[in-house]
């Protein structure tokens, strides 16, 4: 019997976990999951199903994947990829309007201002 190994995954997350489970010789079935999206009616998310007998074998991979997935990601500059970013102190009024609801960040390497 198939049981869900992970639910509400994005496409990229589903591909990563699918490949990790296949490398561990665990057969995986990927299905669309979640509320329907317009106009096509299929879910925007995916779930991975595995055999019930293989749950114990897959458990370490699943817990490790879930920890990596939920870990906070460090902000990165979209222009140069640097991790040396900090909240921008003085931002023009039009940028404040553009970045409303987010924190404007400034890269220390290339001085790029972006929404963080």
């Amino acid at each position: 019997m198939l049981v869900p190994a992970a639910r509400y995954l994005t496409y990229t997350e589903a591909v990563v976990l699918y490949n990790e489970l296949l490398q561990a010789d665990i057969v995986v079935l990927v299905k669309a999951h979640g509320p329907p999206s317009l106009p096509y009616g299929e879910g925007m998310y995916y779930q991975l199903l595995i055999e019930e007998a293989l749950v114990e074998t897959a458990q370490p991979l699943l817990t490790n994947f879930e920890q990596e997935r939920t870990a906070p990601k460090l902000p990165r500059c979209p222009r140069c990829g640097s991790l040396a970013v900090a909240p921008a102190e003085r931002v023009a009024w039009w940028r404040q309007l553009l970045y409303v609801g987010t924190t404007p960040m400034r890269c220390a390497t290339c001085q790029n201002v972006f929404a963080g």
Side-chain angles (χ1 to χ4, degrees), residues 33-93:
H33 186 67
S37 63
L38 296 174
Y40 303 110
E42 288 197 15
M44 294 181 355
Y45 299 104
Y46 298 89
Q47 72 174 342
L48 272 63
L49 302 169
I50 60 174
E51 283 289 334
E52 193 171 3
L54 299 172
V55 171
E56 289 183 24
T57 309
Q59 196 59 44
L61 284 170
L62 296 173
T63 55
N64 186 30
F65 176 78
E66 193 61 34
Q67 287 175 352
E68 289 176 8
R69 181 179 171 215
T70 58
K73 311 254 185 306
L74 296 174
R76 200 177 269 271
C77 177
R79 183 184 291 167
C80 68
S82 173
L83 290 173
V85 296
E89 293 182 10
R90 297 184 65 160
V91 180
W93 68 269

